[in-house]
CSV table of all heavy atoms in Angstrom, one decimal:
chain,number,residue,atom,x,y,z
Q,132,ASP,N,0.5,2.2,-0.9
Q,132,ASP,CA,1.4,3.4,-0.9
Q,132,ASP,C,1.0,4.4,0.3
Q,132,ASP,O,0.0,4.1,0.9
Q,132,ASP,CB,1.4,4.0,-2.3
Q,132,ASP,CG,0.0,4.7,-2.6
Q,132,ASP,OD1,-0.9,4.4,-1.8
Q,132,ASP,OD2,-0.1,5.4,-3.6
Q,144,PRO,N,-11.6,7.8,11.7
Q,144,PRO,CA,-11.0,8.5,12.9
Q,144,PRO,C,-11.1,7.7,14.2
Q,144,PRO,O,-10.4,8.0,15.1
Q,144,PRO,CB,-11.7,9.8,12.9
Q,144,PRO,CG,-13.0,9.5,12.3
Q,144,PRO,CD,-12.8,8.5,11.2
Q,146,GLN,N,-10.6,4.5,14.4
Q,146,GLN,CA,-9.6,3.4,14.5
Q,146,GLN,C,-8.3,3.9,15.3
Q,146,GLN,O,-8.0,5.0,15.3
Q,146,GLN,CB,-9.2,3.0,13.0
Q,146,GLN,CG,-10.3,2.5,12.3
Q,146,GLN,CD,-10.9,1.2,12.8
Q,146,GLN,OE1,-10.1,0.4,13.3
Q,146,GLN,NE2,-12.1,1.1,12.9
Q,152,LEU,N,7.4,1.9,17.9
Q,152,LEU,CA,8.5,2.7,18.4
Q,152,LEU,C,9.9,2.2,18.0
Q,152,LEU,O,10.8,2.9,18.1
Q,152,LEU,CB,8.3,2.7,20.0
Q,152,LEU,CG,7.0,3.3,20.4
Q,152,LEU,CD1,6.9,3.1,22.0
Q,152,LEU,CD2,6.9,4.8,20.0
Q,165,LEU,N,-3.0,11.7,23.0
Q,165,LEU,CA,-3.7,12.9,22.5
Q,165,LEU,C,-5.0,13.2,23.2
Q,165,LEU,O,-5.3,14.3,23.5
Q,165,LEU,CB,-3.9,12.8,21.0
Q,165,LEU,CG,-2.7,12.6,20.2
Q,165,LEU,CD1,-3.2,12.3,18.7
Q,165,LEU,CD2,-1.8,13.7,20.2
Q,178,GLU,N,-16.0,16.9,45.4
Q,178,GLU,CA,-15.9,16.0,44.2
Q,178,GLU,C,-15.2,16.6,43.1
Q,178,GLU,O,-15.3,17.9,42.8
Q,178,GLU,CB,-17.4,15.7,43.8
Q,178,GLU,CG,-17.5,14.7,42.5
Q,178,GLU,CD,-18.9,14.5,42.1
Q,178,GLU,OE1,-19.7,15.4,42.2
Q,178,GLU,OE2,-19.2,13.3,41.9
Q,201,LEU,N,-18.4,15.3,30.9
Q,201,LEU,CA,-17.7,15.4,29.7
Q,201,LEU,C,-17.5,16.9,29.3
Q,201,LEU,O,-16.5,17.4,29.0
Q,201,LEU,CB,-18.3,14.7,28.5
Q,201,LEU,CG,-18.2,13.2,28.5
Q,201,LEU,CD1,-19.0,12.6,27.4
Q,201,LEU,CD2,-16.9,12.8,28.6
Q,204,ALA,N,-15.0,18.4,31.7
Q,204,ALA,CA,-13.7,17.9,31.3
Q,204,ALA,C,-13.1,18.6,30.2
Q,204,ALA,O,-11.8,18.8,30.0
Q,204,ALA,CB,-13.7,16.5,31.2
Q,211,VAL,N,-11.6,15.0,25.0
Q,211,VAL,CA,-11.9,14.1,25.8
Q,211,VAL,C,-12.6,12.9,25.1
Q,211,VAL,O,-13.5,13.1,24.2
Q,211,VAL,CB,-13.0,14.6,26.7
Q,211,VAL,CG1,-13.5,13.6,27.7
Q,211,VAL,CG2,-12.6,15.8,27.6
Q,220,TRP,N,-6.5,3.2,41.1
Q,220,TRP,CA,-5.3,3.9,41.5
Q,220,TRP,C,-5.5,5.5,41.4
Q,220,TRP,O,-4.9,6.2,42.3
Q,220,TRP,CB,-4.2,3.5,40.6
Q,220,TRP,CG,-4.2,3.9,39.1
Q,220,TRP,CD1,-4.8,3.1,38.1
Q,220,TRP,CD2,-3.9,5.1,38.5
Q,220,TRP,NE1,-4.8,3.7,36.9
Q,220,TRP,CE2,-4.2,5.0,37.1
Q,220,TRP,CE3,-3.3,6.3,38.9
Q,220,TRP,CZ2,-4.0,6.1,36.2
Q,220,TRP,CZ3,-3.2,7.3,38.1
Q,220,TRP,CH2,-3.5,7.1,36.7
Q,223,ASP,N,-7.9,6.7,44.4
Q,223,ASP,CA,-7.1,6.7,45.6
Q,223,ASP,C,-6.1,7.7,45.7
Q,223,ASP,O,-5.9,8.4,46.7
Q,223,ASP,CB,-6.3,5.2,45.7
Q,223,ASP,CG,-7.2,4.1,46.0
Q,223,ASP,OD1,-8.6,4.3,46.3
Q,223,ASP,OD2,-6.8,3.0,45.8
Q,225,VAL,N,-6.1,10.7,44.2
Q,225,VAL,CA,-6.7,12.0,44.5
Q,225,VAL,C,-7.3,12.2,45.8
Q,225,VAL,O,-7.1,13.1,46.5
Q,225,VAL,CB,-7.7,12.3,43.4
Q,225,VAL,CG1,-8.5,13.6,43.7
Q,225,VAL,CG2,-7.1,12.5,42.1
Q,227,ASP,N,-6.3,10.6,48.6
Q,227,ASP,CA,-5.3,10.4,49.6
Q,227,ASP,C,-4.2,11.4,49.4
Q,227,ASP,O,-3.2,11.4,50.1
Q,227,ASP,CB,-4.6,9.1,49.5
Q,227,ASP,CG,-5.6,8.1,49.9
Q,227,ASP,OD1,-6.6,8.3,50.5
Q,227,ASP,OD2,-5.3,6.8,49.6
Q,230,THR,N,1.3,12.1,46.0
Q,230,THR,CA,2.1,12.8,45.1
Q,230,THR,C,3.0,11.8,44.2
Q,230,THR,O,3.7,12.3,43.3
Q,230,THR,CB,3.1,13.7,45.7
Q,230,THR,OG1,3.9,13.0,46.7
Q,230,THR,CG2,2.2,14.8,46.6
Q,243,GLN,N,7.2,25.8,33.8
Q,243,GLN,CA,6.2,25.3,34.8
Q,243,GLN,C,6.5,23.9,35.2
Q,243,GLN,O,6.2,23.5,36.3
Q,243,GLN,CB,4.8,25.4,34.1
Q,243,GLN,CG,3.6,25.0,35.1
Q,243,GLN,CD,2.3,25.2,34.5
Q,243,GLN,OE1,2.1,25.3,33.3
Q,243,GLN,NE2,1.4,25.2,35.5
Q,282,ALA,N,-0.4,28.6,40.1
Q,282,ALA,CA,-1.9,29.0,39.9
Q,282,ALA,C,-2.4,28.2,38.7
Q,282,ALA,O,-3.6,27.9,38.6
Q,282,ALA,CB,-2.0,30.4,39.8
Q,294,ARG,N,1.0,23.2,49.2
Q,294,ARG,CA,2.2,23.1,50.2
Q,294,ARG,C,3.1,24.3,50.1
Q,294,ARG,O,4.0,24.6,50.8
Q,294,ARG,CB,3.0,21.9,50.1
Q,294,ARG,CG,2.1,20.6,50.5
Q,294,ARG,CD,2.9,19.4,50.2
Q,294,ARG,NE,2.1,18.2,50.4
Q,294,ARG,CZ,2.5,17.0,50.2
Q,294,ARG,NH1,3.6,16.7,49.6
Q,294,ARG,NH2,1.5,16.0,50.3
Q,305,TYR,N,-5.1,29.9,46.3
Q,305,TYR,CA,-5.0,28.4,45.9
Q,305,TYR,C,-6.2,28.3,44.9
Q,305,TYR,O,-7.1,29.0,45.0
Q,305,TYR,CB,-5.3,27.6,47.1
Q,305,TYR,CG,-5.3,26.0,46.9
Q,305,TYR,CD1,-4.2,25.5,46.2
Q,305,TYR,CD2,-6.3,25.3,47.1
Q,305,TYR,CE1,-4.1,24.2,46.0
Q,305,TYR,CE2,-6.2,23.9,47.0
Q,305,TYR,CZ,-5.1,23.4,46.3
Q,305,TYR,OH,-5.1,22.1,46.0
Q,317,SER,N,-4.1,21.2,57.0
Q,317,SER,CA,-4.5,20.7,58.3
Q,317,SER,C,-4.6,19.2,58.2
Q,317,SER,O,-4.1,18.5,59.2
Q,317,SER,CB,-5.8,21.2,58.7
Q,317,SER,OG,-6.3,20.6,59.9
Q,318,ILE,N,-5.2,18.6,57.1
Q,318,ILE,CA,-5.3,17.1,57.0
Q,318,ILE,C,-3.8,16.5,56.9
Q,318,ILE,O,-3.6,15.5,57.6
Q,318,ILE,CB,-6.0,16.7,55.7
Q,318,ILE,CG1,-7.5,17.1,55.9
Q,318,ILE,CG2,-5.8,15.2,55.3
Q,318,ILE,CD1,-8.3,17.0,54.6
Q,320,GLU,N,-1.0,17.8,58.0
Q,320,GLU,CA,-0.3,18.0,59.3
Q,320,GLU,C,-0.7,16.9,60.2
Q,320,GLU,O,0.3,16.4,60.9
Q,320,GLU,CB,-0.4,19.4,59.7
Q,320,GLU,CG,0.3,19.7,61.0
Q,320,GLU,CD,0.0,21.1,61.5
Q,320,GLU,OE1,0.4,22.2,60.7
Q,320,GLU,OE2,-0.4,21.5,62.6
Side-chain angles (χ1 to χ4, degrees):
D132 69 354
Q146 296 298 317
L152 299 176
L165 302 172
E178 187 177 36
L201 290 178
V211 181
W220 64 265
D223 292 346
V225 172
D227 297 339
T230 61
Q243 186 178 14
R294 297 178 187 163
Y305 185 54
S317 175
I318 289 168
E320 187 176 298

